[in-house]
Amino acid sequence: MEALRASYVPSVNIISTSYKTHQLTKTIFLNFQSSTHKKPSSSSSKSKSKSKLFTTISSTPNFSISIDPPEPEAEIESSIEKFDWYSKWYPVMPLCDLDKRRPHAKKVIGLDVVVWWDRNENEWKVFDDACPHRLAPLSEGRIDQWGRLQCVYHGWCFNGEGNCKFIPQAPPDGPPVHTSKKACVAAYPTVVHHDILWFWPNSDPKYKDILEKEKPPFMPELEDPSFTRLMGNREIPYGYEILIENLMDPAHVPYAHYGIMQMRQPEEKADREGGKPLNMTVEKIDKDGFISKSDTGRSKFFAPNIFYSYTEPMEDQVNGAAAPGTKSSSSKQRRMALIFMCVPVSPGNSRLIWVFPRNFGVWLDKVVPRWIFHIGQNLILDSDLYLLHVEERKIKEIGPANWQKACYVPTKSDAKVVGFRRWLNKYASGHVDWKGKFTGELLPTPPREQLMDRYWSHVVNCRSCSKACKVLNVLEVALQVISIVSIGIVAATKQNVMSAAARTTIVSTAVLFFLASRYLAHFIYKNFRYHDYDHAFR
């Protein structure tokens, strides 16, 4: 937790520097897992867990524990209860990034769905994104004046239950063809939980009341009003498996994100980045995920899509230090968590929704616009995006079932990654169940500028960044117009009407405005369009 203090406070002073805005998020994205400061845990200090399933080989020469690699799919016993990919709640989007005025197209676990706000029932709805008439995408439609979802291809309208309420082409005095089951759209169970929209990916009527039997995972920090909840989302051009195991791996942070994230450095560094051994173990692995433990806190993997990492509480003394074993009335428990929701979209594509609740520095989120935090968080995602995109294709070449043979994972820092691969092979058949929708083949790697594009992968899906991008574009044009008009005024004005000093002032102002517009254009491009990361020159 000392790493939190060291990295959080300096970030307050970065707000005024445009190209260092990403430092505002240094304490809110992955780095607390790499701290060398050890916090004693009341549960772990009393007794060792009896449910520990495995650990990896220690990086310390004098201490080693053997590890069983993830079992290949063929070697798994058929008696083990299998994980059902279509019997779990999936996060769709944070509510802060959904617009009630229009339908939204999303893809989750291979399903094309449309998300829209039913103002008649005051609920978010998730339907199949296909009109039963000619299969046109309903997400390209609109919400009409009666609050119905309208397909703009032929005007068919649907209520919140998916029932067709109006077919313009059907004669009013003819048979009520709109009441046919064939005219209905498949509607999925939905729920708003932790300010995020979730849906159950099975439209069978028997799941209509599934919420009474099973609820999405509960994370207490997201319901605690003393915690801030900074959310974001991004479409990722590599698969779900690569995304979630990367987020479970803190050892890559000082290398893949060098120069972006502020890390607590060890007293003796073996290299420039300061990488060090990490002590991690995985416990209680079963069909529904696993629990892991490290020096700085605990983590939970809620299968199939949530990685929830939280720190042990730490007293923050306001008026001096309290004696060991005592509590001061002015003390406060400083806590934070990292919550990553990894949504399988299609082979080679996934969606990341992140939430970083914390009960300190809450004022930052009230003062600093959300899009400024997203600049830094997107830069972090970009810094290893190409690496992971290529890695996924190499794993595809050797076959995911051969992961444990091709990848050498001898240290404890890989414990969570190995744990995830073990869960995937043992309970989930080694891959996402796409129900035959895809062949599994990955598309060729596009140019880096297209692969790492921020606009279509994030900006258009984030209301804060989208608004900021529009405002900054307008400001850029305004600066250019003022610059051109100023020069025009000087050119059109006779010399005896305007003094030399006034002319010089106007021309200088015009030049400054033009240079400001060029700088702003560069800022917009690098933060809302494309920002490459060259590891060789960091």
Side-chain angles (χ1 to χ4, degrees), residues 18 114 125 137 183 185 198 268 275 290 294 310 350 355 372 378 404 427 450 463 520:
S18 61
V114 55
K125 302 293 183 177
V185 182
W198 303 68
E268 295 183 6
F290 57 77
S294 66
Y310 54 97
S350 55
V355 193
I372 292 184
N378 277 304
Q404 74 279 2
Y427 296 101
Q450 180 181 341
R463 297 185 71 180
L520 189 55

Side-chain angles (χ1 to χ4, degrees), residues 239-294:
Y240 151 85
E241 300 92 337
I242 302 298
L243 172 63
I244 201 164
E245 70 179 23
N246 179 60
L247 296 170
M248 291 180 175
D249 172 26
H252 82 282
V253 174
Y255 297 92
H257 307 305
Y258 179 78
I260 300 177
M261 300 178 63
Q262 184 175 345
M263 306 295 300
R264 181 178 175 84
Q265 297 295 320
E267 294 181 1
E268 295 183 6
K269 295 172 61 174
D271 55 17
R272 179 191 67 169
E273 294 81 3
K276 56 186 178 295
L278 301 176
N279 184 30
M280 294 188 294
T281 55
V282 170
E283 308 167 350
K284 300 181 180 178
I285 186 170
D286 58 27
K287 176 177 67 72
D288 296 317
F290 57 77
I291 297 174
S292 59
K293 182 175 64 176
S294 66

